[in-house]
Amino acid sequence: MRFAPAKLLLAVLLAMLSAQGARAGEIRRDLVAPSPILGHGIPYTIYLPDGYEVGATHYPVLFLLHGTGGGENDWPDGGGLVGTLERLTDDGTIPPMLVVSPGLGDSWYVDSPDPGGYGKVESAFLDDLVPYIDRTWRTEARRDARAVAGLSMGGWGAVRFAILRPDLFVAAGSLSGALITDDWAATPAWAEWFGHAFGTPFDFDRFHAASPFTLIPQLAAEDPRPLLFLTCGDHDSLDLKEGNLLFHLALEHAGIPSELRITDGAHSWDVWARELDPVLRFVAGAFQAAS
């Protein structure tokens, strides 16, 4: 019988110990939440932290929204979601949390029941999906442990959801959020991006009423207010750096604090995957501050 050298045995032992110490979460795919409001299910993926299946702990939850042309698998597949979550969880920077990524089409996360629209997506998200997740998974099921974030169209939607329902969300994060002014929205190029979400043809008044810029006075009157984190690449191909800066300044003028981060990069997954780290840190800080 030949015995392995001591150095080899030591290496194997260290690898085993390292594997035991690492946390391995799990992405569950192909899930569907029923939505009586839409009349059909909402597809979603969910990240479950290490130990979820064997414990009884209830966790904070982050809803993570996709952009136009995207879906429920974007963040797990393109955004490095699992790796970033587990790196920050392993070193104690953020607490273990559930992350839910719904697939809601190019709806702009608003109610658009007109022919050709996506239906009452805003209502379905707030009144069907959020309560369903609380009933189905072990969330803490309270405002102080619930946040929402998203990229591009999803960043616009996340900020808007937090303003509309400060009773549900303690914080919102926007990555390259489509935070555009009315002047931009009225251009033919942006009307194409909106698709059928604001009527066909595009109804400017509907967009204006839904815009986070329009909702700033409502946010100023809220108590408590959700915490807001905005990040955008300095070479964003849609010029969203300017829109994010203008939104940040409009909030500041209204006496509303927000965190703005202009980083290197374009309107791409290189930016969103990298900026997920500070968004998760911000959300974890909001959970801690509210607890």
Side-chain angles (χ1 to χ4, degrees), residues 31-102:
L31 303 173
V32 178
S35 174
I37 290 173
L38 289 177
H40 59 77
I42 299 172
Y44 73 97
T45 65
I46 189 168
Y47 169 83
L48 304 176
D50 175 60
Y52 181 91
E53 290 297 331
V54 297
T57 301
H58 286 70
Y59 297 89
V61 61
L62 170 65
F63 289 86
L64 201 50
L65 309 181
H66 62 79
T68 54
E72 65 274 15
N73 291 308
D74 283 12
W75 278 106
D77 292 345
L81 176 64
V82 174
T84 302
L85 276 169
E86 293 184 353
R87 171 172 53 81
L88 295 176
T89 303
D90 286 349
D91 66 14
T93 301
I94 66 173
M97 66 179 73
L98 305 181
V99 178
V100 177
S101 297

Side-chain angles (χ1 to χ4, degrees), residues 180-285:
I180 62 171
T181 64
D182 284 354
D183 291 342
W184 291 6
T187 63
W190 273 99
E192 289 186 17
W193 279 107
F194 295 139
H196 303 290
F198 300 100
T200 307
F202 171 67
D203 186 337
F204 172 80
D205 290 338
R206 280 172 61 175
F207 171 83
H208 172 75
S211 170
F213 278 92
T214 304
L215 297 175
I216 286 176
Q218 180 176 328
L219 177 61
E222 291 170 355
D223 184 24
R225 295 186 194 126
L227 303 178
L228 302 178
F229 181 95
L230 316 173
T231 180
C232 190
D234 57 355
H235 293 98
D236 190 281
S237 59
L238 300 178
D239 296 325
L240 293 177
K241 176 182 72 173
E242 181 180 349
N244 278 261
L245 177 59
L246 289 173
F247 188 68
H248 172 75
L249 292 174
L251 290 171
E252 187 176 80
H253 182 72
I256 303 168
S258 65
E259 185 166 334
L260 173 65
R261 176 183 167 102
I262 302 298
T263 186
D264 181 55
H267 198 78
S268 68
W269 278 108
D270 288 343
V271 170
W272 305 325
R274 184 180 71 235
E275 291 301 287
L276 181 60
D277 178 302
V279 168
L280 290 171
R281 293 171 186 263
F282 181 84
V283 165

Side-chain angles (χ1 to χ4, degrees), residues 137-163:
W137 304 95
R138 293 199 313 274
T139 70
E140 292 190 26
R142 58 190 178 92
R143 181 249 186 197
D144 294 347
R146 186 187 297 113
V148 59
L151 69 90
S152 195
M153 174 188 76
W156 187 92
V159 168
R160 188 168 173 275
F161 281 146
I163 296 174

